[in-house]
Amino acid sequence: MLVEQFYNQVGKSRNTFLLFASLNLLFISGISFTFVIPGLRGFSLFFVVLTLLMYFIVANLFVGLFKDRKWFVFTICIILISLGMGWRLWLEWGEVTLVEHTSLAVYIGYPSISAIILTIFYIISNSIGRKRTTFH
């Protein structure tokens, strides 16, 4: 019952929730990418949990916004996460703390892995949401 109400509310206010999800991905990916990569300076388990929680929230919003469009969700996620990461790198270019994070593996790996994780959350939430509700 609560799940159906949530997805119905998301469906009614599509633009508001799309803006919230997009800004969330931009800012969370920009802020957290220096804290969630194990083995690099600044790694924090707190930020890993916070980032995964925010990705879970965004994935559930995407379930209400885009039904059965996992490749579209993956594409949107990789673009927004890359833009957020690029925004942070542009703002702090030349900072000593970002030296370890300026490698091709981080530039390609972080957005790709984050988009895959978010898409997995989307697929799981979509399958659970479809079983419990009739919003599709």
Side-chain angles (χ1 to χ4, degrees):
M1 183 73 149
L2 185 62
V3 174
E4 188 170 351
Q5 290 175 350
F6 172 74
Y7 290 131
N8 286 334
Q9 186 65 32
V10 171
K12 289 179 187 175
S13 305
R14 293 181 66 81
N15 291 337
T16 304
F17 285 105
L18 182 61
L19 180 67
F20 174 76
S22 299
L23 290 176
N24 191 336
L25 277 181
L26 280 171
F27 286 112
I28 289 296
S29 64
I31 292 168
S32 69
F33 91 92
T34 57
F35 302 115
V36 298
I37 302 173
L40 294 181
R41 181 181 304 160
F43 175 74
S44 170
L45 195 56
F46 171 76
F47 276 101
V48 172
V49 172
L50 179 68
T51 302
L52 289 176
L53 175 67
M54 296 311 282
Y55 285 173
F56 180 75
I57 292 169
V58 169
N60 279 295
L61 290 175
F62 283 164
V63 168
L65 293 170
F66 313 113
K67 61 178 186 175
D68 296 327
R69 297 181 72 187
K70 60 185 162 221
W71 289 109
F72 180 73
V73 168
F74 177 77
T75 305
I76 291 294
C77 290
I78 204 161
I79 290 170
L80 290 174
I81 290 169
S82 297
L83 286 174
M85 190 176 141
W87 163 73
R88 168 89 183 275
L89 287 170
W90 177 70
L91 283 176
E92 296 188 17
W93 189 253
E95 291 286 327
V96 176
T97 57
L98 288 179
V99 170
E100 287 186 7
H101 297 88
T102 54
S103 69
L104 191 59
V106 173
Y107 292 157
I108 295 172
Y110 177 75
S112 302
I113 292 171
S114 296
I116 289 169
I117 290 170
L118 212 142
T119 306
I120 289 170
F121 284 161
Y122 169 81
I123 291 168
I124 292 169
S125 297
N126 192 25
S127 66
I128 291 171
R130 186 181 307 156
K131 288 179 185 176
R132 291 190 179 177
T133 67
T134 58
F135 79 95
H136 285 283

